[in-house]
């Protein structure tokens, strides 16, 4: 067999192993009753849609969209952080890492499989939440008069909502990579604190760019500007407001923002592999 | 155990009533600060502040006794529109709430205009906000020159309807006349994109109809006074004198109110049209 054939064969084998680990992570999250959050989400949305109509002077569709997208983002964040931080540390604590590493899989495949499994869990969660949100919005559109529907900024079941949901998914994939990275070398508690910290900083990131204008020291200003470029800026992933108010979100924007997120995912996953490969479990 | 805890709570509250908060509070008044604290949940927080603004306005307006304070209304609306600068209805409803005269509102047309100007800055293509500013000048400030200027500005916004130009001209010529007010409300009724605003415009038009009805009643009351030397005690006096065919009713079917011994007429206190707005040209004379 040629070298190229060997490489392709090894690549396929790697993909099979990564897929196997990913499915295992997904099944484990189902066993851990992670999908129960979907029931909470559905009840929250349906209950809120019933109550909000009485309180909001005709803004119920806007508020249901806001609530649905915000809840999707918040539930996803909880899943990404609290499952992400345990991906590696749980295996170490349970000492199952020894039997796993004795199997024919590399540490890189192990990390990639874990990451893919959690992203798969997030994708399934977000897909079900999207369906629940469209169902509630569809019902609201169905029960309203055509004249009232005409006053909405965007249709209740606006397909553009998918753009916001997609960027939430990309952002959560990035947060998952961050949580995974921290979980390769620190305790779950510290990993959670660091991941949430990075999430918060990611939303203040734009301020770092303008830090030079408010400090006298050029060193501090330069440092802040460097941090602005190094730390992930999470603001571009938030297009909820634009989508709810029927503002255009071009495909080019989606593409570039996804690419931006993907580069950070690659950085954190590669860093996770690097750190994990050097850990000594003896 | 859950049922027991609910029962204990009910018993405790029945015995020791919880002390209601003296005043509603706004812990954070800075919109930009709140936007930062909200992370990516600013839209949801804007909805929360919007609901608070409606509740504050509604509960204060409906309060039966005591001094009514709408002090939190503008800060709540300001926070709402800072958190979500495209919250269309917060500008338009908020402006109506703020301009409404006391006790039905805070009677703050300046704040109303400030809120709408914030909306114009956020969305310069919204001619409706520019029109609403003109409307506040017209109806609540009786500044017909400023109103006409804003109508003119609204007519120049791309996509604005053609009737705004004539409206500006009419306001310049006949500001304060009831016909001008009717034209303004009629246009708001026909062009509003919200059911609540349409209902409000329809109610204002009915109020103008009620004012027309009162104008028709006044000659009969004056005639009674001239005939008998005293003001009528009730509608029965006028009906008995053959000056009216029956008890007059406003456009909603509620009887008009006649103050005994004064000759003053108004809509009934139980009418949905009560209280009638103070008519601009009755305050300042015709501003033509």
């Amino acid at each position: 067999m040629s070298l190229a054939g060997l490489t392709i064969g090894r690549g396929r084998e790697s993909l099979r192993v990564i897929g196997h680990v990913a499915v295992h992570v997904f099944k484990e999250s189902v066993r851990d009753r992670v999908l129960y959050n979907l029931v909470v989400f559905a009840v929250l949305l349906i209950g809120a849609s019933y109550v909000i109509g009485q309180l909001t002077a005709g803004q119920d569709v806007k508020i249901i969209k806001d609530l649905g997208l915000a809840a999707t983002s918040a539930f996803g964040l909880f899943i990404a952080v609290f499952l992400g931080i345990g991906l590696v540390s749980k295996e170490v604590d349970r000492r199952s890492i020894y039997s796993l590493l004795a199997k024919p899989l590399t540490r890189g495949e192990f990390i990639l499989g874990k990451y893919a499994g959690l992203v798969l869990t997030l994708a399934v969660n977000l897909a079900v939440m999207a369906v629940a949100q469209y169902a509630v919005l569809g019902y609201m559109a169905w029960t309203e008069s055509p004249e009232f529907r005409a006053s909405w900024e965007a249709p209740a079941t606006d397909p553009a909502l998918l753009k916001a949901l997609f960027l939430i998914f990309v952002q959560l994939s990035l947060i998952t990579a961050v949580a995974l990275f921290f979980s390769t070398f620190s305790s779950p508690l510290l990993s959670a604190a660091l991941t949430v910290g990075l999430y918060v900083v990611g939303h203040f990131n734009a301020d770092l760019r303008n830090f030079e204008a408010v400090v006298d020291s050029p060193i501090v200003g330069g440092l802040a500007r460097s941090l602005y470029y190094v730390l992930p800026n999470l603001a571009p992933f938030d297009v909820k407001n634009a989508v709810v108010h029927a503002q255009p979100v071009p495909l080019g924007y989606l593409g570039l923002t996804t690419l931006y997120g993907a580069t950070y995912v690659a950085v954190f996953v590669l860093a996770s592999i690097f750190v994990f490969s050097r850990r000594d479990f003896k | 155990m859950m049922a027991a805890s609910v029962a204990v709570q009910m018993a405790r509250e029945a015995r020791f009533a919880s002390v209601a908060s003296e005043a509603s509070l706004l812990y954070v008044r800075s919109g930009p600060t709140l936007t930062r604290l909200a992370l990516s949940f600013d839209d949801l927080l804007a909805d929360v502040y919007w609901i608070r603004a409606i509740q504050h306005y509604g509960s204060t307006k409906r309060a039966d006794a005591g001094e009514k304070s709408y002090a939190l209304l503008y800060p709540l609306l300001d926070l709402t529109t800072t958190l979500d600068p495209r919250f269309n209805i917060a500008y338009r409803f908020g402006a109506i709430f703020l301009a409404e005269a006391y006790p039905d509102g805070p009677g703050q047309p300046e704040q109303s205009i400030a809120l709408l100007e914030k909306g114009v800055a956020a969305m310069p293509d919204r001619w409706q906000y520019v029109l609403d500013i003109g409307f506040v000048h017209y109806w609540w400030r009786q500044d017909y020159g400023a109103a006409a200027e804003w109508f003119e500005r609204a007519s120049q916004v791309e996509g604005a309807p053609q009737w705004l130009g004539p409206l500006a001209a009419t306001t310049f010529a006949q500001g304060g006349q009831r016909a001008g007010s009717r034209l303004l409300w009629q246009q708001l009724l026909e062009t509003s994109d919200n059911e609540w605003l349409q209902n409000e415009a329809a109610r204002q038009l009915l109020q103008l109809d009620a004012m027309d009805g009162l104008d028709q009643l006044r000659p009969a009351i004056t005639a009674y006074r001239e005939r008998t030397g005293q003001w009528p005690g009730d509608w029965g006096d006028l009906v008995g004198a053959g000056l009216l065919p029956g008890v007059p009713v406003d456009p909603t079917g509620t009887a008009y109110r006649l103050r005994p011994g004064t000759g003053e007429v108004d809509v009934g206190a139980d009418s949905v049209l009560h209280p009638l707005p103070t008519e601009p040209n009755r305050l300042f004379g015709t501003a033509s």
Side-chain angles (χ1 to χ4, degrees):
Chain A
M1 194 182 284
S2 67
L3 187 63
L6 266 175
T7 311
I8 291 168
R10 178 60 201 150
R12 281 185 185 150
E13 177 61 17
S14 272
L15 278 178
R16 196 187 64 77
V17 170
I18 292 167
H20 188 73
V21 176
V23 170
H24 177 76
V25 171
F26 178 72
K27 284 180 178 171
E28 195 174 312
S29 70
V30 174
R31 264 202 308 275
D32 286 346
R33 299 181 177 86
V34 168
L35 300 182
Y36 276 20
N37 81 87
L38 297 173
V39 178
V40 178
F41 177 83
V43 170
L44 175 79
L45 215 58
I46 293 165
S49 64
Y50 184 75
V51 174
I52 282 170
Q54 317 293 317
L55 293 172
T56 57
Q59 293 303 290
D60 34 356
V61 163
K62 175 205 178 302
I63 292 178
I64 288 299
K65 285 181 181 178
D66 287 341
L67 183 64
L69 291 173
T72 303
S73 185
F75 280 92
L77 182 66
F78 285 130
I79 294 172
V81 173
F82 291 108
L83 291 190
I85 58 170
L87 281 178
V88 174
S89 59
K90 215 157 73 175
E91 303 287 0
V92 176
D93 289 348
R94 290 193 304 212
R95 301 190 185 280
S96 51
I97 192 78
Y98 300 109
S99 57
L100 277 168
L101 293 180
K103 289 181 179 173
L105 87 163
T106 65
R107 293 193 181 193
E109 288 165 349
F110 172 77
I111 290 290
L112 284 172
K114 286 280 186 183
Y115 177 72
L118 188 44
V119 169
L120 177 67
T121 307
L122 279 170
V124 170
N125 263 272
L126 261 62
V128 177
M129 285 193 257
V131 169
Q133 194 171 352
Y134 271 107
V136 170
L137 288 167
Y139 176 76
M140 293 176 84
W142 182 56
T143 52
E144 291 295 354
S145 65
E147 294 79 26
F148 191 68
R149 286 202 299 267
S151 71
W152 292 339
E153 283 179 301
T157 51
D158 189 359
L161 285 174
L162 293 173
K163 292 179 180 175
L165 288 164
F166 174 71
L167 284 185
I168 288 172
F169 173 69
V170 177
Q171 177 184 293
L172 293 174
S173 301
L174 168 53
I175 297 296
T176 304
V178 172
L180 174 69
F181 170 67
F182 287 129
S183 85
T184 55
F185 62 85
S186 67
S187 67
L189 195 65
L190 189 60
S191 297
L194 291 170
T195 308
V196 172
L198 206 66
Y199 174 80
V200 173
V201 169
H203 286 284
F204 284 89
N205 199 304
D207 291 333
L208 291 171
R209 188 174 50 180
N210 305 318
F211 218 63
E212 287 160 312
V214 290
V215 292
D216 294 330
S217 166
I219 297 170
V220 175
L223 187 68
R225 200 166 179 79
S226 305
L227 281 173
Y228 166 73
Y229 286 111
V230 172
L231 294 171
N233 182 4
L234 299 181
F237 296 100
D238 182 14
V239 292
K240 298 196 290 288
N241 183 275
V243 163
V244 170
H245 290 297
Q247 296 300 301
V249 181
L251 287 176
Y253 180 91
L254 284 181
L256 270 178
T257 310
T258 305
L259 188 63
Y260 176 72
T263 54
Y264 273 100
V265 167
V267 166
F268 281 106
V269 171
L270 286 174
S272 303
I273 294 171
F274 179 78
V275 173
F276 189 67
S277 300
R278 285 164 185 272
R279 275 193 70 174
D280 186 2
F281 292 106
K282 285 176 186 170
Chain B
M1 286 307 288
M2 192 67 214
S5 77
V6 171
V8 170
Q9 171 150 339
M10 288 169 70
R12 190 188 62 78
E13 285 183 356
R15 196 161 172 193
F16 306 103
S18 59
V19 180
S21 171
E22 285 292 316
S24 299
L25 291 173
L26 265 182
Y27 292 104
V28 183
R29 284 179 179 259
S30 162
T33 303
L34 205 57
T35 306
R36 299 288 167 83
L37 294 176
L39 298 177
S40 68
F41 300 98
D42 36 4
D43 298 311
L44 190 64
L45 207 54
D47 298 337
V48 171
Y49 276 99
W50 169 238
I51 292 171
R52 278 193 70 183
I54 293 176
Q55 288 182 323
H56 175 63
Y57 175 73
S59 60
T60 309
K61 186 177 176 179
R62 288 182 183 178
D64 289 329
E67 185 89 354
K68 293 184 178 183
S69 172
Y70 295 91
L72 289 184
L73 186 57
Y74 182 74
L76 285 168
L77 291 166
D78 187 41
L79 286 173
T80 303
T81 50
T82 302
L83 286 162
D84 183 354
R86 292 191 166 272
F87 207 144
N88 176 43
I89 218 70
Y91 294 112
R92 300 203 74 190
F93 279 23
I96 292 174
F97 295 165
L98 287 164
E100 192 84 35
Y102 189 84
D104 285 338
Q108 295 286 351
E110 283 73 19
Q111 289 181 349
S112 172
I113 291 167
L115 184 70
L116 288 165
E117 283 179 338
K118 189 178 171 188
V120 174
M123 289 173 280
D125 57 329
R126 289 266 185 177
W127 57 266
Q128 291 92 338
Y129 302 160
V130 187
L131 169 67
D132 289 349
I133 294 174
F135 177 78
V136 174
H137 279 295
Y138 183 99
W139 190 253
W140 299 110
R141 299 190 70 230
Q142 289 89 36
D143 185 344
Y144 307 114
E149 278 175 28
W150 281 97
F151 294 152
E152 181 67 26
R153 276 181 65 174
S155 72
Q156 289 165 3
V157 177
E158 198 177 332
Q162 289 186 337
W163 54 262
L164 279 169
L167 178 67
T170 307
T171 307
F172 267 125
Q174 306 176 17
Q177 296 285 3
R178 196 177 294 163
S181 303
R182 193 181 298 280
L183 174 66
L184 197 49
W185 282 115
Q186 192 64 43
Q187 296 297 353
L188 283 171
L189 174 67
E190 290 170 10
T191 60
S192 175
D193 55 2
N194 183 278
E195 194 180 5
W196 190 90
L197 286 173
Q198 288 171 347
N199 291 339
E200 183 61 14
R203 194 178 80 91
Q204 296 284 355
L205 283 168
L206 287 178
Q207 287 187 319
L208 293 174
D209 290 342
M211 289 177 186
D212 287 345
L214 291 173
D215 285 350
Q216 287 169 9
L217 291 172
R218 286 190 182 100
I221 296 166
T222 307
Y224 182 89
R225 162 106 171 155
E226 286 170 356
R227 194 183 293 177
T228 66
Q230 57 188 350
W231 295 111
D234 57 25
W235 292 119
D237 293 343
L238 291 165
V239 175
L243 292 166
L244 289 178
V247 175
V249 293
D250 69 23
T252 66
T254 309
Y256 283 112
R257 183 180 59 169
L258 173 66
R259 286 198 179 164
T262 65
E264 289 176 17
V265 281
D266 198 353
V267 289
D270 54 341
S271 171
V272 293
L273 303 180
H274 183 272
L276 289 178
T278 306
E279 214 168 1
N281 65 356
R282 286 186 185 278
L283 282 172
F284 297 94
T286 306
S288 55

